[in-house]
Amino acid sequence: MRWLFSFLLLALLALVEASSRTGNRLLVVIEEAAEKGKYSKFWGDLEERGFKLTFESPKNDKLSLFQHGARAYDHLILLPGKAKGINASLCWAAPTKTFAGLGPALTPKLLIEFINNKGNILLTLSADSATPTSVSSLLLELDIQLPPDRTSLVVDHFNFDTLSASEKHDVLLVPQPKALRPDVRNFFGGDGVIAFPRGVAQELGSASPLLAPILKAKATSYSYNPKEETESVEDPFTIGEQISLVSSMQARNSARFTVLGSIEAFENKWFDASVKSPEGQKIKTANREFAKQLTAWTFLETGVLEVGRVEHHLSSVTQGVSGNDSIAQLGYLNPKIYRIKNDVTFNIELSEYAHDRLCPPLLSSPDALQLEFSMLSPFHRLPLHPVSQTPNSTIFSTTFTLPDQHGIFAFRVNYKRPFLTNVDVKEEVTVRHFAHDEYPRSWKISGGWVWIAGIWVTIGGWVAFVGVWLYSEPAYESAKGKKVQ
């Protein structure tokens, strides 16, 4: 009965556990408690997925992201504040004053440290609140640039909601995003329209491979400061599809940082609301669906690749037989030493975590999973092909011949794609040269037959010469008389 009770207890814990792969402790930093009711549907959706929400004010002196050197929370949502005060970097000088931005417990240094400890952050902005200097400096460290005036918003005179923004045109109607490239998975797609009110434009640096836009503005959009009462905008911060409304950064440790340009898009009134385009078409917004997709990706509920078994072994390749039947394993798994010109097979098992279960990963056809066999630089770079599949994983494999070079080599699978966690597997092995009794015999080398024939001709010639010389001794005459003293 004990094992039955333990099984039921584990099943109960599995039901209440969050679908995130890293944990369910979610800290929400909100300055005004009265603002919490505006997003009750958003909080409810998170709690339904198993997250344990903790609401704190940035003014709380006891607020801390770490406890005993470890993360106190797994995920973090930062809402824009309303208060104005001194910069957080000056908190040591005047601890009794109001802190600007995020407060002393949420400085850029601490937030970067939180990311380095594999914590995930959803940072939200609003054009109604001036972006604090600490937030701008944090984003600059990540190569994300905000408008310098900190109060600009994005408008579009051709794609806006005529019911709520008939004059200001600051409630954008943006279709759900498409895939960035054919080899990139789309975790935020759909056929709906997102209402994006009073959004803050972001410009992503082109040098960082860690950044990727999630939601872009349309070509007719631009960013401007509404406080500048001019009839035209001469030098906008950014325009068109260069504007990123929602941006993402996935660190090298697969921690995720998302910037949402409009927290108003997650308010209750925009979840399943009805909007009207300038063409007169009435449609329902997909804000609620997009909020679920965005938080699921940010909090590692989707797009999580996991590595299972990693195996390599000697192989015997049978010519004339196709498929896996042509390869037979020799010896044991994962040896530490091979010999040059050995046939070797490498296998890796990959799974993809989606919400609450493991499933075989979906890799698009032009997207090749590759194996590198390298010393200082790759000697081989080979595609890994799926050879078998289980309900939870796919096994990728390749067989190749080791190079004619001895030394310390490494099997490496380095797979990094936008919106998928990084896979970096490295297995070191030693490759030795031939032993003295492993070289092929001389008579097996066709190129050496000429030299072998020359040796035997020389030997035969020498034996013949000796025989001839021995049997061709000259005849001696017998003495005619004795020698007299």
Side-chain angles (χ1 to χ4, degrees):
M1 293 296 293
R2 287 185 177 180
W3 66 268
L4 181 59
F5 176 75
S6 301
F7 178 77
L8 292 175
L9 181 61
L10 289 175
L12 182 61
L13 290 175
L15 289 176
V16 300
E17 186 180 0
S19 57
S20 173
R21 201 57 171 167
T22 56
N24 61 352
R25 300 172 299 175
L26 175 58
L27 173 64
V28 181
V29 178
I30 181 169
E31 185 173 346
E32 300 292 338
E35 299 286 325
K36 187 169 64 174
K38 292 183 179 180
Y39 314 99
S40 59
K41 292 183 180 179
F42 178 54
W43 311 136
D45 291 341
L46 290 172
E47 290 175 343
E48 285 181 1
R49 282 153 41 199
F51 289 99
K52 296 180 180 178
L53 275 62
T54 302
F55 294 90
E56 292 287 353
S57 171
K59 303 176 184 178
N60 188 356
D61 297 334
K62 297 181 179 180
L63 176 62
S64 177
L65 298 178
F66 301 94
Q67 186 176 10
H68 306 302
R71 292 196 326 261
Y73 302 95
D74 302 307
H75 317 286
L76 176 63
I77 297 180
L78 300 172
L79 272 71
K82 302 292 184 182
K84 297 182 180 180
I86 65 172
N87 194 297
S89 62
L90 303 177
C91 59
W92 56 270
T96 58
K97 294 183 180 180
T98 305
F99 297 103
L102 304 177
L106 300 170
T107 60
K109 180 180 178 181
L110 290 174
L111 293 176
I112 293 295
E113 185 179 352
F114 185 74
I115 295 175
N116 291 337
N117 283 269
K118 297 186 177 182
N120 306 302
I121 300 177
L122 174 60
L123 174 65
T124 63
L125 305 174
S126 175
D128 293 333
S129 302
T131 305
T133 306
S134 59
V135 174
S136 299
S137 61
L138 169 66
L139 295 179
L140 281 177
E141 287 191 42
L142 305 178
D143 207 9
I144 301 175
Q145 190 173 358
L146 298 181
D149 49 32
R150 300 192 299 166
T151 56
S152 294
L153 55 82
V154 182
V155 297
D156 190 339
H157 303 301
F158 297 91
N159 302 280
F160 63 93
D161 179 27
T162 59
L163 299 179
S164 59
S166 58
E167 295 182 359
K168 296 183 177 180
H169 303 176
D170 56 359
V171 179
L172 277 62
L173 299 182
V174 186
Q176 288 185 265
K178 306 296 182 182
L180 289 179
R181 304 191 305 263
D183 62 335
V184 175
R185 291 272 303 281
N186 185 13
F187 295 95
F188 317 98
D191 299 328
V193 172
I194 302 169
F196 209 83
R198 301 186 61 80
V200 177
Q202 305 142 46
E203 187 175 16
L204 306 185
S206 59
S208 176
L210 308 178
L211 298 175
I214 294 178
L215 183 65
K216 293 182 179 181
K218 286 200 168 185
T220 51
S221 304
Y222 64 93
S223 174
Y224 88 109
N225 188 356
K227 294 183 179 180
E228 298 178 359
E229 297 181 356
T230 57
E231 295 183 357
S232 62
V233 180
E234 296 182 357
D235 188 16
F237 168 67
T238 183
I239 60 173
E241 294 184 354
Q242 297 177 355
I243 299 175
S244 179
L245 301 175
V246 182
S247 308
S248 68
M249 189 280 297
Q250 182 169 263
R252 290 181 173 85
N253 63 356
S254 296
R256 290 170 175 175
F257 182 89
T258 303
V259 183
L260 174 64
S262 172
I263 184 57
E264 290 87 352
F266 287 179
E267 291 182 357
N268 294 341
K269 66 178 182 179
W270 294 111
F271 277 19
D272 303 320
S274 294
V275 293
K276 187 177 180 180
S277 64
E279 292 80 12
Q281 182 182 6
K282 281 191 175 183
I283 49 178
K284 280 197 171 185
T285 62
N287 287 39
R288 189 166 196 168
E289 180 186 357
F290 180 71
K292 292 179 180 179
Q293 293 172 337
L294 185 65
T295 53
W297 181 84
T298 304
F299 300 147
L300 289 177
E301 295 178 77
T302 57
V304 181
L305 294 179
E306 296 190 356
V307 179
R309 295 176 299 166
V310 178
E311 299 173 348
H312 51 87
H313 56 80
L314 282 172
S315 298
S316 174
V317 180
T318 304
Q319 301 297 331
V321 181
S322 61
N324 295 332
D325 296 334
S326 63
I327 301 171
Q329 178 181 341
L330 300 177
Y332 53 90
L333 290 174
N334 301 337
K336 294 298 181 181
I337 187 168
Y338 290 101
R339 194 204 68 203
I340 60 174
K341 297 186 177 181
N342 274 150
D343 291 328
V344 175
T345 297
F346 180 86
N347 301 321
I348 184 171
E349 182 183 22
L350 288 183
S351 302
E352 182 177 349
Y353 182 78
H355 296 289
D356 58 352
R357 66 186 184 279
L358 290 172
C359 57
L362 299 175
L363 303 182
S364 52
S365 54
D367 194 17
L369 182 67
Q370 293 180 338
L371 168 69
E372 292 182 356
F373 190 72
S374 59
M375 190 157 51
L376 295 177
S377 59
F379 278 68
H380 287 292
R381 184 176 284 120
L382 306 166
L384 288 164
H385 303 287
V387 295
S388 63
Q389 192 174 89
T390 68
N392 300 324
S393 63
T394 300
I395 298 176
F396 298 86
S397 179
T398 189
T399 300
F400 64 100
T401 302
L402 296 183
D404 190 5
Q405 173 69 44
H406 65 276
I408 306 298
F409 284 80
F411 297 98
R412 188 178 184 188
V413 177
N414 187 15
Y415 186 78
K416 295 177 181 177
R417 296 294 186 274
F419 308 128
L420 289 173
T421 54
N422 300 326
V423 174
D424 194 354
V425 177
K426 190 176 182 180
E427 295 278 340
E428 289 189 352
V429 293
T430 301
V431 178
R432 62 175 177 84
H433 50 68
F434 281 101
H436 292 295
D437 58 350
E438 290 179 329
Y439 284 98
R441 299 297 89 187
S442 57
W443 56 82
K444 293 184 178 180
I445 303 175
S446 59
W449 291 350
V450 176
W451 310 105
I452 295 173
I455 292 172
W456 285 108
V457 168
T458 303
I459 294 173
W462 171 253
V463 171
F465 167 76
V466 171
V468 171
W469 184 80
L470 289 176
Y471 289 98
S472 60
E473 181 182 2
Y476 294 96
E477 295 183 358
S478 60
K480 296 182 178 179
K482 293 182 179 179
K483 185 177 181 181
V484 180
Q485 184 68 25

